[in-house]
Amino acid sequence: CINRIMMMSTVDVCVIGAGLSGACIARNLASHNKSVLVLDARNRVGGRLLTAAAANADLGGADFGGAWIWPRSEPNMANLLQNLNVVTVPMHMDGISMAYIANGKRHVIPDGQAEMYAACGGGAIRVCGGASRVVSELLEPHSVRLGMRVTEIDYNDKKEVKIKCIKNNANKNDNPTIIKCQAVVLAAPPKVLARTITFLPNLPKQKTESMIATPTWMQEYGKVAVSFPTNWWRQQRMSGISIDHVGAVATWWEACSGSEDDGNLPTLAGFVTEQGAAMLRKVICDDSSYLFEFIIESLKRVYGVDANAMGTLESVASDNEIKAQGSSEQDGLIVTNGVITVSYKSWLEDDLTNAKDDTVVDFTCDYGDRDLQSSVEPLFFAGTETAA
């Protein structure tokens, strides 16, 4: 079946982007007996839904991208999870929380107040095992081609669209792959689409400028996750919620409890702002393994615990070799010492999220803007920024 779909020169609809939006659209089209092919430049599905455990079982299962669902305000998403039989868990808010402020003082926030300081606020749930599971449940593997960068979309012929794409590992002289279809759904960040794909004919000027003027969700952020052998914060009656006005990671939370199928290991995760990313670049510029000690020391400072309380003395032996793999701009820099793992994903440095070129527009376009949503003949536009 996989070979058949790969060899087809024509499908009804080609979806560009294998994130949540693209996956939902592809599933819906297939349910209406349309032949669908999903293309994605990444070597995985999920887009900005990236679960650490998908790359390495020792990473616990923290989400580097989208992580939370609010059932009260997002009933459609809640219904989707229920229909897919995806198990969710409420965000852990029980216990004391911590705040480390700029004057170097640590404040203990009493039990019952975590929601006021949590990045997700109140009422949030997350997917057991990571949010990228949702996309995997939606997509049929045989309908997806990964590692394919779309470079050109020719819709001059009113009856047939031609999509030109190249493989990530293609040589300079390799011929591009041509996909023919009747319609295209572009379910990727508008700015990335406008800056990486040549449209024939050009898209309307107002639409192109609106796409370029639309900030990509997560383009200025990153996430750090730290997986431990034990859930030491719950053992010490902590929520895991903290804020840090000094370090590279601005706020922390429990990303996995490590129990009852909620991730492989207990894991804390946190947001890295643009300023924090600059700090981390300096830390890892000479040796990426320096990330481990830097983050562990930050956690000790913020939570007011020592290595013994965190379990790092027992887990990180002096003769253990610190091992680093991956990269922050791809699917994450992973640094392991013993059974403790620190990982860092920078969406700021990801060219499929934070696409850059010399084109400048003098306005900012809001998510869900009419110009983003408008179709252009057989080209339809979807995605987080477009549909919001």
Side-chain angles (χ1 to χ4, degrees):
C1 188
I2 184 169
N3 290 331
R4 181 178 62 82
I5 191 76
M6 294 287 189
M7 293 174 61
M8 287 177 63
S9 61
T10 302
V11 291
D12 292 330
V13 183
C14 186
V15 177
I16 299 174
L20 180 60
S21 297
C24 287
I25 291 165
R27 185 183 179 94
N28 189 36
L29 288 168
S31 71
H32 287 80
N33 298 317
K34 299 294 184 182
S35 59
V36 183
L37 181 62
V38 181
L39 302 176
D40 201 290
R42 303 185 192 275
N43 292 315
R44 59 171 178 81
V45 300
R48 284 164 287 168
L49 294 185
L50 171 60
T51 301
N56 187 319
D58 294 333
L59 300 185
D63 286 307
F64 284 142
W68 302 310
I69 303 100
W70 294 267
R72 289 184 180 179
S73 59
E74 298 176 330
N76 290 339
M77 190 67 196
N79 290 336
L80 174 65
L81 297 178
Q82 185 175 15
N83 292 336
L84 294 174
N85 295 316
V86 171
V87 179
T88 60
V89 59
M91 286 296 294
H92 180 61
M93 299 286 180
D94 297 334
I96 61 173
S97 305
M98 298 293 179
Y100 195 92
I101 59 178
N103 64 7
K105 292 184 178 180
R106 182 188 310 105
H107 294 269
V108 177
I109 301 166
D111 186 9
Q113 297 184 25
E115 286 188 359
M116 298 171 58
Y117 298 89
C120 62
I125 61 175
R126 52 184 174 75
V127 175
C128 288
S132 64
R133 284 188 54 205
V134 180
V135 177
S136 298
E137 292 285 341
L138 287 167
L139 285 173
E140 294 290 341
H142 67 264
S143 68
V144 183
R145 296 182 69 175
L146 300 174
M148 301 291 288
R149 287 182 178 257
V150 175
T151 59
E152 181 181 286
I153 297 178
D154 184 343
Y155 62 105
N156 276 298
D157 187 335
K158 305 304 180 185
K159 296 182 180 179
E160 185 177 74
V161 182
K162 294 179 182 178
I163 300 173
K164 184 182 294 185
C165 47
I166 58 173
K167 295 181 180 179
N168 282 340
N169 58 355
N171 295 319
K172 188 181 252 186
N173 297 323
D174 287 351
N175 291 325
T177 298
I178 305 297
I179 307 295
K180 299 178 182 179
C181 57
Q182 297 175 15
V184 181
V185 180
L186 295 104
K191 183 164 65 173
V192 176
L193 295 171
R195 288 178 166 172
T196 59
I197 299 176
T198 299
F199 293 89
L200 302 175
N202 291 331
L203 296 176
K205 183 174 182 291
Q206 180 65 31
K207 184 172 185 68
T208 299
E209 290 185 347
S210 296
M211 292 169 69
I212 293 172
T214 304
T216 299
W217 178 75
M218 288 296 286
Q219 72 175 24
E220 296 179 350
Y221 294 94
K223 282 188 179 180
V224 167
V226 188
S227 297
F228 298 90
T230 60
N231 195 321
W232 55 265
W233 53 94
R234 288 204 187 195
Q235 293 171 0
Q236 299 182 55
R237 298 181 180 179
M238 294 182 182
S239 65
I241 303 295
S242 70
I243 57 175
D244 185 3
H245 291 173
V246 176
V249 184
T251 179
W252 292 91
W253 59 86
E254 180 185 89
C256 302
S257 67
S259 61
E260 298 180 353
D261 296 324
D262 181 24
N264 301 320
L265 292 169
T267 304
L268 292 173
F271 272 123
V272 177
T273 63
E274 189 171 4
Q275 181 180 3
M279 295 173 64
L280 292 182
R281 273 197 298 273
K282 292 180 181 179
V283 170
I284 65 178
C285 65
D286 294 326
D287 188 337
S288 57
S289 66
Y290 291 165
L291 177 72
F292 186 92
E293 182 177 358
F294 181 84
I295 294 298
I296 293 297
E297 290 302 315
S298 296
L299 289 174
K300 292 178 185 177
R301 172 177 51 78
V302 171
Y303 289 96
V305 296
D306 57 21
N308 185 54
M310 294 172 64
T312 56
L313 281 181
E314 300 150 351
S315 305
V316 180
S318 59
D319 58 349
N320 275 337
E321 179 185 355
I322 296 182
K323 300 177 181 178
Q325 59 179 311
S327 64
S328 59
E329 65 268 22
Q330 295 297 319
D331 288 344
L333 171 62
I334 304 164
V335 186
T336 303
N337 190 350
V339 294
I340 308 287
T341 300
V342 176
S343 47
Y344 169 43
K345 165 61 183 175
S346 173
W347 299 100
L348 177 69
E349 300 168 325
D350 185 332
D351 66 351
L352 294 175
T353 300
N354 193 21
K356 299 176 181 179
D357 68 7
D358 296 329
T359 307
V360 177
V361 291
D362 59 1
F363 66 98
T364 299
C365 188
D366 294 331
Y367 290 176
D369 188 270
R370 192 167 44 184
D371 286 328
L372 299 179
Q373 296 181 350
S374 62
S375 60
V376 180
E377 297 183 30
L379 309 184
F380 299 86
F381 296 81
T384 299
E385 296 80 10
T386 300

